[in-house]
Amino acid sequence: MLLKSFFIAVIALFISWSSLVADAADIAPSFQLPANAGAPTLKDLKGKVVWVDFWASWCGPCRQSFPWMNSMAKRYSDKGLVIIGVNLDTEKPLADEFLRQSHADFPIVFDPQGKITQAYGLVGMPSSFLVGADGTIQYRHAGFRSEDALVMEGEIKKVLHVQTP
């Protein structure tokens, strides 16, 4: 019975998350958190398209998402895409170890108190938000599966106005 209640709650959460995607034009909460060298704030990136990805060292799908985000940064940075990773670990050495194993070709900021996490209303890990050049959230995605990569890239291309060959 407890397992059944859990699955019902997960399905309800997914449905509410899916409805958020349809109403995506919310203003993205800005943030300025402790960061690795050179990490910009969201406010500094006004006019750019920004993929904000929330991750933690204990999250298996997060580890799978880093190669994909690295490839998106490489492929679309010259088109105006900036990727920012927001780490949620309460102990920075855990995040540092993760980053030694899963290199990031994009800036990382740290949110151990979960302030920006609350502002964005995360529902799963990892959670990603595509912020348009106008500062509005254009797309949300929870989790990471390789099957979702083409859809997520398609959303990036749409917001960047990149033509698909």
Side-chain angles (χ1 to χ4, degrees):
M1 184 66 179
L2 185 59
L3 189 59
K4 183 178 178 182
S5 297
F6 171 76
F7 284 119
I8 290 171
V10 168
I11 290 168
L13 191 60
F14 177 76
I15 290 168
S16 66
W17 179 263
S18 298
S19 69
L20 289 174
V21 173
D23 302 325
D26 300 327
I27 298 296
S30 190
F31 53 84
Q32 184 161 0
L33 297 166
N36 283 347
T41 66
L42 196 57
K43 190 175 181 180
D44 296 336
L45 297 171
K46 188 81 169 181
K48 298 269 189 186
V49 173
V50 183
W51 184 269
V52 180
D53 182 76
F54 292 86
W55 64 278
S57 63
W58 46 263
C59 169
C62 297
R63 194 167 302 278
Q64 296 171 359
S65 70
F66 269 58
W68 178 81
M69 287 188 291
N70 286 335
S71 71
M72 293 299 101
K74 183 177 181 179
R75 191 172 298 156
Y76 298 109
S77 64
D78 64 336
K79 306 271 192 268
L81 178 68
V82 177
I83 296 177
I84 298 178
V86 181
N87 176 262
L88 307 178
D89 285 303
T90 56
E91 298 176 32
K92 192 171 180 300
L94 295 172
D96 293 339
E97 178 59 28
F98 178 100
L99 291 170
R100 276 191 284 283
Q101 296 172 11
S102 300
H103 178 72
D105 293 332
F106 46 88
I108 302 292
V109 297
F110 300 95
D111 187 20
Q113 281 81 39
K115 293 177 184 176
I116 194 65
T117 303
Q118 290 175 355
Y120 275 78
L122 265 61
V123 296
M125 289 294 289
S127 282
S128 301
F129 298 80
L130 183 60
V131 180
D134 64 353
T136 60
I137 297 172
Q138 299 295 310
Y139 176 74
R140 294 171 167 90
H141 186 82
F144 184 85
R145 298 177 320 145
S146 57
E147 306 89 71
D148 298 337
L150 286 175
V151 171
M152 294 184 303
E153 183 175 4
E155 292 296 327
I156 289 170
K157 289 165 67 172
K158 183 172 29 172
V159 175
L160 286 171
H161 305 291
V162 172
Q163 297 296 324
T164 304

